[in-house]
Amino acid sequence: MQIITQENQKELKEHGNYAFPVNISIEKIESYEKGTFLWHWHPEIELTLILSGQIEYQIEDNTYLLSAGDGVFCNSNSLHSGYMYQGQGCTYLSITFHPRFLYGYENSILNTKYVNYITSNELWASLVLEKRISWQADVLDCMKKIYDMSSAQPSDFELQTHMLLLNIWHKLYQYFSTQPNEFAKPK
């Protein structure tokens, strides 16, 4: 198995659909040819939670060694790849969603003030999420809840997923809005 991309490395896989632009999947690094998924990007945001093992995860110019319990935020349009670490397997949860799922309408205040503020900043291609940091542990817990719901499929699965992703985004926004930024701060 391998990720299929266009010449510009944009992944061809659909991450959900127009009606529900979210993809939730369990992946195994050892399932990919040579234990690596190739460099690629997509307009969707990707949240990854390591369930077992370790993975060497690269996003743009950053390389992370992630272990069970760790997570990572990969921003929209960020080039990324993952590698088997020291020949060991790694199972991880991938939650990929289009930014419009958060904001609804183009140029809405939700889009311009809260979503584009993060997605348009090349300095914020990624962020490691660690359970020892309280707000990040909350994000990781929300990710686990999304996965658990995807298995159980309650009747309001899509609505609950939306609310949990908004909760995650709120925590990311609170963090990034306190970081140095080459762009103007939100008002």
Side-chain angles (χ1 to χ4, degrees):
M1 169 172 83
Q2 194 47 264
I3 290 176
I4 300 175
T5 64
Q6 296 175 343
E7 275 186 39
N8 65 358
Q9 295 179 292
K10 179 181 181 187
E11 185 177 20
L12 292 174
K13 173 182 171 182
E14 285 197 32
H15 298 102
N17 54 46
Y18 184 80
F20 189 64
V22 179
N23 186 61
I24 302 161
S25 62
I26 297 292
E27 306 287 338
K28 293 181 177 286
I29 193 64
E30 59 270 24
S31 298
Y32 291 94
E33 293 170 22
K34 299 181 182 177
T36 182
F37 59 83
L38 299 176
W39 284 101
H40 68 285
W41 64 274
H42 37 73
E44 294 83 10
I45 295 156
E46 188 162 3
L47 299 169
T48 302
L49 172 62
I50 309 307
L51 300 174
S52 67
Q54 292 182 303
I55 188 172
E56 186 176 306
Y57 207 103
Q58 291 184 287
I59 303 173
E60 298 290 345
D61 295 331
N62 297 307
T63 301
Y64 308 109
L65 179 59
L66 302 174
S67 301
D70 293 335
V72 68
F73 158 76
C74 180
N75 208 343
S76 174
N77 301 316
S78 295
L79 199 58
H80 57 287
S81 181
Y83 302 89
M84 186 180 283
Y85 181 71
Q86 296 183 342
Q88 67 176 299
C90 177
T91 302
Y92 56 95
L93 168 64
S94 171
I95 301 171
T96 311
F97 60 97
H98 198 283
R100 77 174 166 260
F101 191 60
L102 300 171
Y103 63 75
Y105 294 100
E106 291 293 327
N107 297 317
S108 68
I109 191 114
L110 294 176
N111 182 8
T112 59
K113 184 175 180 180
Y114 300 104
V115 177
N116 279 352
Y117 177 72
I118 296 171
T119 60
S120 66
N121 192 325
E122 293 176 7
L123 298 175
W124 299 334
S126 61
L127 177 69
V128 170
L129 303 168
E130 300 175 82
K131 56 188 168 208
R132 65 179 179 80
I133 300 171
S134 179
W135 76 267
Q136 293 180 11
D138 291 344
V139 168
L140 296 168
D141 286 342
C142 286
M143 292 169 64
K144 288 178 198 169
K145 287 177 186 172
I146 290 170
Y147 172 68
D148 290 342
M149 278 193 318
S150 74
S151 298
Q153 286 290 313
S155 61
D156 60 349
F157 165 69
E158 298 85 359
L159 182 59
Q160 285 192 58
T161 299
H162 190 221
M163 291 187 305
L164 287 165
L165 287 173
L166 285 170
N167 187 10
I168 289 169
W169 197 259
H170 182 236
K171 291 178 183 309
L172 288 168
Y173 175 81
Q174 287 179 315
Y175 170 76
F176 283 120
S177 67
T178 66
Q179 300 306 300
N181 180 351
E182 67 184 20
F183 304 108
K185 291 282 186 196
K187 296 178 182 173

